[in-house]
Structure formats: C-alpha cells, structure tokens
Amino acid sequence: MAAAQGRLSDGADGMDDAEDTAQGRAGGGLPPVFRAAVDALRTARVRPQVEVEPTPAPQRLAPYAYALEAVVVDGEQELADGRLVLLHDPAGHEAWRGTFRLVTLVRAELEPEMAADPLLPEVCWSWLTGALQARGLGYGEPSGTITRASSHYFGGLAERPAASQIEIRASWTPREGLGGVPDTAAHLASWCDLLAQVGGLPPAGPGDASVVTLPQRRDPQSR
C-alpha cells in the first residue's frame, strides 16, 4: 500500500507543487488547519489496487485547494478512475456550512444492460454515502449527479461495440474534528472504497462483506 500524493494550490499565485507553497494568499502562509488536512491526505494509506497520482488543483473554487487523481487497476487493466479535491475557505462558505469541502468525479465503463437499469443512479449514490457511513464519517450538505452515457459507432467505426459509462460527480462537507481539522485520511480511504466498488473489485475487508459490487464490467482499458 502506497502513501497518497498530490498538489496544492493557494488560489493567489497558482503554485501547484506542495514544496513550493510556503507562501499563501497575499503573501501569507497556508492556514495551519489546511496544512494539517493536506498532510493527512498525503500520508494516507490506500489499497494497492488504487493508484494515486498528483494533479493540478483548481484555483477558482476556493482560496485553497489540494487535488488527487486515482485509477483502479487489475493487472494491466484500468477499471475506473477519478479525482478528489479538497477545498478550504477560512471565512467559511454558506452553501458548505463549514470551511472545508470535498469534491469528486468518478468514472467507469459499464455493460449496456447494466447502464439501462433504471435504479442504477440511486444505487451509485448509495455507494457514495455508504462508503462514508461504513467508516463512521460525519459529513453534511451532500450533493451531486449520476450520469449515464452511451456511445454507438457507425461508418468506419461500426466494428466497435457500443460503450456505456457511469459518472459520479459529488461534493460534501467533512465534519471538522479536533482543532477544526477534518479526518481527511479517512475520507480519502472511503473515496478509494467507492472507486474500487465502481470498478467492480471485491470488498477490501471482512467488515465490508455487505457491499454490493458492480458485476460484469465492460472490457476494461488496457494500460
């Protein structure tokens, strides 16, 4: 299991590399609570099938942001991918009802028959909330969309089989703990649980035996 890594953005000068963010907004340093939350993310341990890589953080969603991207792998095949962004506004945000916000995008290929299931959006949303609840994480103001997309090929591409994809876009406010710092490492672990579940991997441990995984993945991408 490898430690997660990522990139920081302070929203003022667009610096992305964690080692280059000693100076924050308006020449000040990064807020201690944000630095602590980021440090927890960067040192979190994730299951080996989920490979986490740095990605540039958005600079306009909040004064401070940190971003990770990940892919679920099985041998040489990629089963799902996603992005997780930690936002922080020291002044608080009315819509968040807090000073931190987690934003995610998760995608995976599906069998067309599975994509046509009318209950799929509700099931996928329950996977997100269930992954947070399974680790006992407090959160608020969840919101998001579940999108199903299908591609059909014609003409010179007619030999390609139809392809279907599920996409989860969501955000939630992590409950702030001691010193106003949320347990970002646990939230990252729950997000990796979601990624693995959408990718069709079995539960990581005995405690997750009730998790329903997505069967019959469409031919995954080779790496």
Side-chain angles (χ1 to χ4, degrees):
M1 299 172 69
Q5 297 296 323
R7 296 187 179 185
L8 285 162
S9 173
D10 61 20
D13 52 18
M15 293 185 295
D16 290 325
D17 193 280
E19 286 73 22
D20 293 334
T21 52
Q23 297 299 316
R25 289 188 76 178
L30 295 174
V33 292
F34 179 65
R35 173 62 72 180
V38 167
D39 287 344
L41 278 177
R42 297 184 68 229
T43 57
R45 313 301 291 184
V46 301
R47 59 188 295 177
Q49 299 94 337
V50 182
E51 297 181 354
V52 182
E53 298 291 343
T55 192
Q59 300 176 26
R60 298 180 181 179
L61 298 180
Y64 303 93
Y66 178 83
L68 296 166
E69 63 181 7
V71 61
V72 179
V73 298
D74 181 15
E76 293 299 314
Q77 298 177 332
E78 297 183 359
L79 304 179
D81 64 85
R83 189 177 194 228
L84 183 69
V85 180
L86 174 67
L87 304 176
H88 177 56
D89 187 341
H93 196 290
E94 183 178 358
W96 301 354
R97 295 185 181 272
T99 62
F100 285 92
R101 188 76 172 171
L102 284 161
V103 182
T104 186
L105 165 66
V106 173
R107 298 173 298 190
E109 296 288 323
L110 298 175
E111 287 288 344
E113 295 80 5
M114 176 67 71
D117 187 337
L119 296 179
L120 183 63
E122 288 78 8
V123 170
C124 288
W125 184 256
S126 72
W127 288 347
L128 169 63
T129 57
L132 294 168
Q133 293 165 3
R135 292 183 179 271
L137 292 171
Y139 66 95
E141 308 305 316
S143 64
T145 61
I146 308 295
T147 303
R148 290 177 290 189
S150 297
S151 298
H152 299 266
Y153 301 94
F154 301 91
L157 301 176
E159 293 184 358
R160 292 188 183 183
S164 298
Q165 185 182 72
I166 189 72
E167 180 180 277
I168 303 172
R169 292 180 180 267
S171 63
W172 64 93
T173 298
R175 179 179 297 166
E176 297 173 9
L178 186 64
V181 182
D183 188 354
T184 51
H187 279 271
L188 174 59
S190 71
W191 181 69
C192 289
D193 292 341
L194 171 66
L195 267 175
Q197 189 171 7
V198 172
L201 293 182
D208 299 323
S210 63
V211 171
V212 178
T213 55
L214 222 118
Q216 307 249 329
R217 303 243 59 69
R218 195 180 182 284
D219 292 338
Q221 292 183 332
S222 295
R223 307 187 73 194

